Amino acid sequence: MSGRAQLMWDEAVTGYDFGPDHPMDPVRLALTWRLVQAFGLDREAEVVAAKPAGESTLRLVHREDYVEAVKAASVDPRAADSSYGLGTLDDPAFAGMHEVSALIAGQSVGAAEAVWRGDALHAVNFAGGLHHAMPGGASGFCIYNDASLAIARLLELGASRVAYVDVDVHHGDGVQAAFWEDPRVLTISLHEHPRTLFPQTGWPEETGAESAEGAAVNVALPAGTGDAGWLRAFHAVVPEVIADFRPQVLVTQHGADTHFEDPLAHLAVSLDAQRAVQAACHDLAHEYAEGRWVALGGGGYAVVDVVPRSWTHLVGIAAGRPVAPEAMIPEGWRQEVFARTRQLGPARMTDGRWPVSWAGWESGYDPADRLDQAVLAARRAVFPLRGLLA
């Protein structure tokens, strides 16, 4: 198996553009790529542009009638069928929508293939992580569910245990739905509580169908959760379930919208805590999945200050050359930020909270604490189903 990481990138993915007033501004992808280059990480990983996902691949997860509806809206956006979630405020139709969505999906599928076949140990597609798309409809800024398609391709290639860990602020509902009845796929999602955030799913009691009880894990965090609580929740649930499942491949989704600057949600996590979880996912892949790791992007709407830094850290960790939190950001990148956005870019790769710390679950818990209540709810719902002590 090659020890080198692959970085999936094709400039054309920046064509995933819902329009000038939409939060999902593709400048976040372009600026991430430029920051990756500014730190020389494109020379540490093999940069690969995979082919778009073809129709047979898309149908591993998506219904044929939905794919046809996306293609029709892609040709004539005015004819978008809203019964498929297309042409809505969240998912406006745009010319070429099918092609660029299939391209992003193809990068994630290509990443999964490379890792499974041993062409790379780690693979990153920060343009991916579009985890809300359902088999029969668009949802939450997501047209095709590249994360589900990557997992489905792994199963098609012979994998029998794939773990998916989603740390986006929103519940990974589309991936959970795609594998709800499949015990070969473990889905774990840490997200803001569905009482206060889209998509209003991801309750701890959602643990999988009868045929896959305990294969879905949901940690629903109270609004306002910051670094110490977020990291405590992650480490109180994820490693123990991963150790029990022992995946052959780890697929992770790293939406940057948990950040305290993100305009669409209500957690208070720093860039430094995001980096710590990225590193933890890398370590889990090595401990339990022989290093096989597919890492995806996701949400994130602080498109200058947060997303490029967060995903550049992800690329650095995957490429075996982590960027130091205290590293200064090259001035050339900051100049490009101003030229593109008329905003001043951040100066360092930290929010000033490194090293982050948290109290481990083994030290005890407070049943009156809202964060600990969230962790307890997740553990009590799923751990007994897996034969683990809650």
Side-chain angles (χ1 to χ4, degrees):
M1 178 180 290
S2 170
R4 196 171 190 202
Q6 283 192 4
L7 172 57
M8 318 306 292
W9 178 252
D10 185 322
E11 196 81 33
V13 299
T14 60
Y16 193 81
D17 189 351
F18 291 115
D21 298 321
H22 196 281
M24 187 81 113
D25 188 336
V27 75
R28 69 197 195 120
L29 303 179
L31 290 177
T32 300
W33 170 244
R34 298 292 184 263
L35 191 56
V36 165
Q37 289 181 305
F39 279 105
L41 298 176
D42 57 322
R43 298 189 295 275
E44 301 294 327
E46 179 187 6
V47 179
V48 176
K51 295 179 180 178
E55 290 192 33
S56 62
T57 296
L58 293 174
R59 289 201 296 270
L60 290 174
V61 168
H62 294 291
R63 295 200 320 250
E64 184 175 2
D65 59 311
Y66 173 58
V67 175
E68 291 303 314
V70 174
K71 289 165 67 177
S74 187
V75 173
D76 183 4
R78 295 169 300 177
D81 188 341
S82 61
S83 69
Y84 290 102
L86 302 169
T88 62
L89 286 175
D90 274 1
D91 299 284
F94 59 91
M97 180 171 64
H98 165 76
E99 288 76 12
V100 70
S101 300
L103 179 63
I104 291 172
Q107 306 312 302
S108 293
V109 170
E113 291 172 343
V115 167
W116 182 253
R117 292 171 176 163
D119 296 335
L121 193 59
H122 310 324
V124 180
N125 176 26
F126 59 75
L130 304 178
H131 59 167
H132 294 307
M134 293 290 176
S139 178
F141 313 161
C142 305
I143 305 302
Y144 294 140
N145 196 317
D146 63 285
S148 294
L149 290 163
I151 294 167
R153 175 54 57 84
L154 288 166
L155 298 177
E156 189 178 48
L157 291 173
S160 56
R161 295 186 311 282
V162 180
Y164 172 76
V165 177
D166 188 318
V167 296
D168 193 288
V169 78
H170 302 90
H171 177 226
D173 57 340
V175 184
Q176 177 179 286
F179 302 104
W180 184 249
E181 299 177 349
D182 195 334
R184 297 174 298 173
V185 180
L186 171 71
T187 64
I188 307 174
S189 180
L190 275 78
H191 48 267
E192 184 179 329
H193 201 285
R195 273 196 299 264
T196 53
L197 195 67
F198 174 91
Q200 282 78 52
T201 58
W203 298 78
E205 296 78 14
E206 297 171 30
T207 58
E210 187 176 349
S211 59
E213 283 189 328
V217 183
N218 287 289
V219 187
L221 302 171
T225 297
D227 288 0
W230 194 62
L231 291 165
R232 176 172 167 81
F234 179 93
H235 288 282
V237 175
V238 178
E240 199 167 343
V241 180
I242 293 289
D244 173 67
F245 187 68
R246 303 198 71 84
Q248 294 161 299
V249 187
L250 180 64
V251 180
T252 57
Q253 197 267 22
H254 297 272
D257 44 9
T258 51
H259 195 273
F260 55 77
E261 287 187 20
D262 197 89
L264 299 189
H266 318 98
L267 295 192
V269 173
S270 73
L271 183 78
D272 299 298
Q274 291 177 348
R275 183 187 187 278
V277 161
Q278 294 164 2
C281 288
H282 169 268
D283 292 347
L284 287 171
H286 279 277
E287 190 167 358
Y288 298 111
E290 299 183 357
R292 298 187 191 95
W293 183 32
V294 177
L296 310 174
Y301 309 100
V303 298
V304 169
D305 283 351
V306 178
V307 174
R309 291 190 297 161
S310 186
W311 293 347
T312 297
H313 276 306
L314 179 64
V315 172
I317 290 166
R321 211 193 86 185
V323 177
E326 64 271 15
M328 300 300 294
I329 292 176
E331 182 59 30
W333 184 82
R334 299 182 74 231
Q335 291 174 359
E336 181 163 0
V337 165
F338 188 77
R340 284 175 175 262
T341 68
R342 288 298 182 260
Q343 295 183 45
L344 297 175
R348 295 191 301 160
M349 290 295 285
T350 179
D351 284 332
R353 299 187 181 181
W354 190 266
V356 290
S357 61
W358 69 95
W361 193 250
E362 64 280 359
S363 64
Y365 60 85
D366 178 358
D369 181 82
R370 291 175 66 224
L371 186 282
D372 284 2
Q373 288 171 359
V375 173
L376 278 170
R379 289 176 63 100
R380 288 171 175 168
V382 79
F383 276 39
L385 297 174
R386 304 201 63 84
L388 301 172
L389 293 175

